[in-house]
Amino acid sequence: MNKMVKKSEMVSLATGLTRPSRDEAEAAVRTLIRWAGDDPDREGLVGTPDRVVRSYEEFFRGYDEDPREMLQRTFEEVEGYDEVVVLRDIRLESHCEHHMVPIIGKVHVGYLPDKRVVGISKLARVVDAFAFRLQIQEKLTAQIANTLQEVLQPRGVAVVIEAAHQCMTTRGVHKSDVAMVTSRMLGAFRDNGETRREFLTMIGRTSV
Ligand SMILES: [Zn+2]
């Protein structure tokens, strides 16, 4: 069960900024409902500001998580294991920072350990800590890769994200089948074609 962060009266861990009160947040939702053209006092909508604010606590819980701290506990006894470690098809749920609508897709993470390995569930938690914020896919890809590189100091890191952006599928250009693919390759995955190809094969791609 994820521990739900109570956002009221708290400072954002990620930005250091003080949050508005919960009442202010709910009032903002009422304003948007009126902006859309509806009546926030009609029966079906009276509970909506409360529900939206609670949804935001889930959608944006990453602002209260520290991805670097998640990676602190590592294992050094790797028995000479020096092959690529890959976690593929990590479910991605994020929100685009330009329109605040969902980005849904998959993240594939690989690294080439150098002495230290980390529990694989931690890789997924690092993805979530950055994904549950307002994002653009390019920045999300780089943040995941750079954090793994900085904290684990492996011989290389690879991150590939494939995702659909609802700001493209349900508004604007209304293109329903497009997936955006982004990648960041560091160390051996950037410099060594064989290592890169091995990773791409493991995630079922021939290129990025
Ligand atoms: Zn967007």
Side-chain angles (χ1 to χ4, degrees):
M1 213 35 229
N2 44 43
K3 49 178 176 10
M4 209 45 77
V5 181
K6 283 282 161 274
K7 288 206 188 292
S8 48
E9 298 165 57
M10 277 182 47
V11 169
S12 161
L13 179 68
T15 66
L17 296 174
T18 306
R19 292 190 164 86
S21 71
R22 195 185 171 99
D23 283 350
E24 288 176 289
E26 291 187 20
V29 177
R30 285 177 58 88
T31 300
L32 287 174
I33 291 171
R34 284 195 290 123
W35 171 252
D38 214 322
D39 172 8
D41 291 317
R42 74 174 171 82
E43 193 188 352
L45 287 173
V46 282
T48 297
D50 168 61
R51 284 188 292 267
V52 170
V53 168
R54 278 191 280 129
S55 299
Y56 267 42
E57 288 180 337
E58 291 184 48
F59 296 158
F60 302 118
R61 64 177 185 261
Y63 289 109
D64 296 297
E65 295 181 338
D66 182 350
R68 283 177 175 75
E69 193 203 297
M70 290 170 186
L71 295 169
Q72 289 308 320
R73 195 174 131 78
T74 56
F75 304 96
E76 297 190 6
E77 288 179 41
V78 294
E79 306 279 347
Y81 186 88
D82 60 356
E83 301 292 332
V84 171
V85 176
V86 173
L87 193 60
R88 72 173 183 213
D89 295 334
I90 304 166
R91 163 101 177 157
L92 170 67
E93 296 174 12
S94 189
H95 283 78
C96 113
E97 69 184 28
H98 298 141
H99 305 93
M100 298 179 73
V101 295
I103 302 170
I104 304 291
K106 288 189 277 191
V107 184
H108 313 287
V109 176
Y111 73 106
L112 191 55
D114 181 23
K115 302 187 194 74
R116 291 192 290 177
V117 295
V118 68
I120 53 167
S121 66
K122 297 291 171 56
L123 298 177
R125 286 193 60 206
V126 168
V127 168
D128 282 350
F130 285 118
F132 287 111
R133 302 179 185 195
L134 292 167
Q135 278 290 2
I136 60 171
Q137 189 174 325
E138 297 90 332
K139 182 175 68 178
L140 174 62
T141 309
Q143 284 176 329
I144 296 165
N146 294 348
T147 301
L148 293 173
Q149 184 65 42
E150 282 167 32
V151 183
L152 297 182
Q153 299 189 345
R155 284 149 63 206
V157 171
V159 176
V160 171
I161 300 182
E162 310 168 55
H165 293 236
Q166 285 189 14
C167 55
M168 280 191 72
T169 58
T170 65
R171 59 161 293 288
V173 291
H174 291 274
K175 295 289 179 235
S176 59
D177 296 328
V178 290
M180 180 168 165
V181 182
T182 48
S183 71
R184 183 152 175 93
M185 304 282 173
L186 301 172
F189 295 91
R190 188 188 54 210
D191 303 332
N192 184 324
E194 203 171 315
T195 305
R196 181 203 301 254
R197 274 192 298 279
E198 185 186 347
F199 171 72
L200 293 174
T201 302
M202 288 169 90
I203 66 168
R205 296 189 67 91
T206 51
S207 67
V208 287

Short mmCIF file of all heavy atoms in Angstrom, two decimals, residues 11 20 23-24 26 46 56 82 85 92 95 100 105 110 119-120 123 137 140 145 158 168 170-172 176 181:
data_model
loop_
_atom_site.label_atom_id
_atom_site.label_comp_id
_atom_site.label_asym_id
_atom_site.label_seq_id
_atom_site.Cartn_x
_atom_site.Cartn_y
_atom_site.Cartn_z
N VAL A 11 5.47 21.47 2.78
CA VAL A 11 6.38 22.06 1.82
C VAL A 11 6.75 20.97 0.83
O VAL A 11 6.97 19.82 1.20
CB VAL A 11 7.64 22.58 2.56
CG1 VAL A 11 8.73 22.95 1.58
CG2 VAL A 11 7.27 23.77 3.43
N PRO A 20 -0.30 25.71 -1.38
CA PRO A 20 -1.51 26.39 -0.94
C PRO A 20 -2.30 25.44 -0.04
O PRO A 20 -2.03 24.25 0.01
CB PRO A 20 -2.27 26.65 -2.24
CG PRO A 20 -1.74 25.64 -3.21
CD PRO A 20 -0.33 25.36 -2.81
N ASP A 23 -8.17 24.01 0.95
CA ASP A 23 -9.34 24.81 0.56
C ASP A 23 -9.05 25.63 -0.70
O ASP A 23 -9.89 25.75 -1.59
CB ASP A 23 -9.76 25.76 1.70
CG ASP A 23 -10.50 25.02 2.81
OD1 ASP A 23 -10.86 23.83 2.61
OD2 ASP A 23 -10.70 25.63 3.87
N GLU A 24 -7.87 26.20 -0.74
CA GLU A 24 -7.50 26.98 -1.93
C GLU A 24 -7.46 26.09 -3.17
O GLU A 24 -7.89 26.50 -4.26
CB GLU A 24 -6.13 27.65 -1.73
CG GLU A 24 -6.12 28.80 -0.75
CD GLU A 24 -4.72 29.33 -0.52
OE1 GLU A 24 -3.90 28.64 0.11
OE2 GLU A 24 -4.43 30.45 -0.98
N GLU A 26 -9.15 23.31 -3.69
CA GLU A 26 -10.52 22.95 -4.09
C GLU A 26 -11.22 24.14 -4.76
O GLU A 26 -11.98 23.96 -5.72
CB GLU A 26 -11.32 22.45 -2.88
CG GLU A 26 -10.81 21.10 -2.38
CD GLU A 26 -11.68 20.50 -1.29
OE1 GLU A 26 -12.85 20.91 -1.17
OE2 GLU A 26 -11.18 19.62 -0.58
N VAL A 46 -20.78 18.53 -6.72
CA VAL A 46 -20.41 19.11 -5.43
C VAL A 46 -19.21 18.42 -4.80
O VAL A 46 -18.39 19.06 -4.14
CB VAL A 46 -21.58 19.15 -4.40
CG1 VAL A 46 -22.53 20.29 -4.70
CG2 VAL A 46 -22.28 17.82 -4.31
N TYR A 56 -5.04 14.41 -7.28
CA TYR A 56 -3.74 15.08 -7.44
C TYR A 56 -2.72 14.55 -6.44
O TYR A 56 -1.53 14.48 -6.74
CB TYR A 56 -3.91 16.60 -7.29
CG TYR A 56 -4.13 17.31 -8.61
CD1 TYR A 56 -4.97 16.77 -9.57
CD2 TYR A 56 -3.49 18.51 -8.89
CE1 TYR A 56 -5.19 17.41 -10.77
CE2 TYR A 56 -3.69 19.16 -10.10
CZ TYR A 56 -4.54 18.61 -11.03
OH TYR A 56 -4.73 19.25 -12.22
N ASP A 82 28.96 -9.31 -14.22
CA ASP A 82 29.30 -8.07 -14.92
C ASP A 82 28.55 -7.97 -16.24
O ASP A 82 29.06 -7.47 -17.23
CB ASP A 82 30.82 -7.95 -15.13
CG ASP A 82 31.38 -9.11 -15.95
OD1 ASP A 82 30.60 -10.04 -16.28
OD2 ASP A 82 32.58 -9.09 -16.27
N VAL A 85 22.01 -5.59 -16.65
CA VAL A 85 20.78 -5.83 -15.89
C VAL A 85 19.68 -4.98 -16.53
O VAL A 85 19.86 -3.77 -16.71
CB VAL A 85 20.94 -5.42 -14.41
CG1 VAL A 85 19.62 -5.60 -13.66
CG2 VAL A 85 22.06 -6.21 -13.75
N LEU A 92 4.37 3.15 -17.25
CA LEU A 92 4.58 4.59 -17.05
C LEU A 92 3.23 5.30 -16.98
O LEU A 92 2.41 5.18 -17.88
CB LEU A 92 5.40 5.18 -18.19
CG LEU A 92 5.48 6.72 -18.22
CD1 LEU A 92 6.27 7.24 -17.02
CD2 LEU A 92 6.09 7.22 -19.52
N HIS A 95 2.12 12.90 -16.23
CA HIS A 95 1.28 13.98 -16.75
C HIS A 95 2.16 15.00 -17.46
O HIS A 95 3.18 15.41 -16.92
CB HIS A 95 0.48 14.66 -15.64
CG HIS A 95 -0.70 13.85 -15.18
ND1 HIS A 95 -0.55 12.78 -14.34
CD2 HIS A 95 -2.03 13.95 -15.46
CE1 HIS A 95 -1.75 12.24 -14.13
NE2 HIS A 95 -2.66 12.93 -14.80
N MET A 100 -1.18 19.17 -18.64
CA MET A 100 -1.61 18.46 -17.42
C MET A 100 -2.58 17.33 -17.75
O MET A 100 -3.57 17.12 -17.05
CB MET A 100 -2.19 19.44 -16.40
CG MET A 100 -1.15 20.45 -15.96
SD MET A 100 -1.72 21.67 -14.76
CE MET A 100 -1.84 20.69 -13.28
N GLY A 105 2.60 4.90 -20.91
CA GLY A 105 3.51 4.13 -21.74
C GLY A 105 4.32 3.13 -20.95
O GLY A 105 3.88 2.63 -19.92
N GLY A 110 18.15 -0.18 -18.21
CA GLY A 110 19.25 -1.13 -18.12
C GLY A 110 20.47 -0.46 -17.53
O GLY A 110 20.64 0.75 -17.65
N GLY A 119 18.42 -3.48 -5.73
CA GLY A 119 17.22 -4.29 -5.90
C GLY A 119 16.40 -3.78 -7.07
O GLY A 119 16.24 -2.57 -7.23
N ILE A 120 15.90 -4.70 -7.93
CA ILE A 120 15.26 -4.21 -9.16
C ILE A 120 13.99 -3.42 -8.89
O ILE A 120 13.63 -2.55 -9.67
CB ILE A 120 14.95 -5.34 -10.18
CG1 ILE A 120 14.16 -6.45 -9.52
CG2 ILE A 120 16.20 -5.85 -10.84
CD1 ILE A 120 13.57 -7.40 -10.54
N LEU A 123 14.53 0.23 -9.12
CA LEU A 123 14.56 0.89 -10.44
C LEU A 123 13.16 1.38 -10.80
O LEU A 123 12.99 2.51 -11.29
CB LEU A 123 15.07 -0.08 -11.51
CG LEU A 123 16.49 -0.62 -11.34
CD1 LEU A 123 16.81 -1.62 -12.45
CD2 LEU A 123 17.51 0.52 -11.36
N GLN A 137 8.52 14.10 -21.73
CA GLN A 137 9.13 12.77 -21.83
C GLN A 137 10.65 12.84 -21.92
O GLN A 137 11.36 12.00 -21.35
CB GLN A 137 8.54 12.03 -23.03
CG GLN A 137 8.95 10.57 -23.10
CD GLN A 137 8.23 9.83 -24.20
OE1 GLN A 137 7.07 10.11 -24.50
NE2 GLN A 137 8.91 8.88 -24.81
N LEU A 140 12.04 13.46 -18.41
CA LEU A 140 11.86 12.26 -17.59
C LEU A 140 12.93 11.21 -17.91
O LEU A 140 13.54 10.62 -17.02
CB LEU A 140 10.45 11.70 -17.83
CG LEU A 140 10.10 10.37 -17.16
CD1 LEU A 140 10.17 10.48 -15.65
CD2 LEU A 140 8.70 9.93 -17.60
N ALA A 145 17.93 8.34 -16.14
CA ALA A 145 19.28 7.86 -16.50
C ALA A 145 20.35 8.57 -15.67
O ALA A 145 21.26 7.91 -15.13
CB ALA A 145 19.51 8.09 -18.00
N ALA A 158 21.11 2.75 -19.58
CA ALA A 158 20.27 2.93 -20.76
C ALA A 158 18.82 3.08 -20.31
O ALA A 158 18.35 2.32 -19.48
CB ALA A 158 20.39 1.73 -21.69
N MET A 168 -1.89 14.80 -27.35
CA MET A 168 -1.90 14.60 -28.80
C MET A 168 -3.07 13.74 -29.25
O MET A 168 -3.53 13.84 -30.39
CB MET A 168 -0.61 13.93 -29.27
CG MET A 168 0.57 14.84 -29.40
SD MET A 168 1.91 14.00 -30.24
CE MET A 168 1.29 13.93 -31.92
N THR A 170 -6.20 13.21 -27.57
CA THR A 170 -7.57 13.65 -27.28
C THR A 170 -7.79 15.14 -27.52
O THR A 170 -8.88 15.64 -27.33
CB THR A 170 -7.96 13.34 -25.81
OG1 THR A 170 -7.14 14.13 -24.95
CG2 THR A 170 -7.78 11.87 -25.49
N ARG A 171 -6.76 15.85 -27.89
CA ARG A 171 -6.93 17.28 -28.19
C ARG A 171 -5.91 17.62 -29.29
O ARG A 171 -5.20 16.73 -29.77
CB ARG A 171 -6.72 18.16 -26.95
CG ARG A 171 -5.36 18.02 -26.31
CD ARG A 171 -5.01 19.19 -25.41
NE ARG A 171 -4.84 20.43 -26.19
CZ ARG A 171 -3.82 20.69 -26.98
NH1 ARG A 171 -2.84 19.82 -27.14
NH2 ARG A 171 -3.75 21.83 -27.64
N GLY A 172 -5.84 18.90 -29.64
CA GLY A 172 -4.82 19.33 -30.60
C GLY A 172 -4.93 18.57 -31.91
O GLY A 172 -5.97 18.60 -32.57
N SER A 176 -4.26 9.35 -32.76
CA SER A 176 -4.49 8.36 -31.71
C SER A 176 -3.42 7.28 -31.62
O SER A 176 -3.25 6.67 -30.59
CB SER A 176 -5.85 7.71 -31.90
OG SER A 176 -5.90 7.09 -33.16
N VAL A 181 9.04 7.95 -28.75
CA VAL A 181 10.13 7.14 -28.21
C VAL A 181 11.31 8.06 -27.90
O VAL A 181 11.73 8.85 -28.75
CB VAL A 181 10.58 6.05 -29.21
CG1 VAL A 181 11.69 5.19 -28.61
CG2 VAL A 181 9.40 5.18 -29.61
#
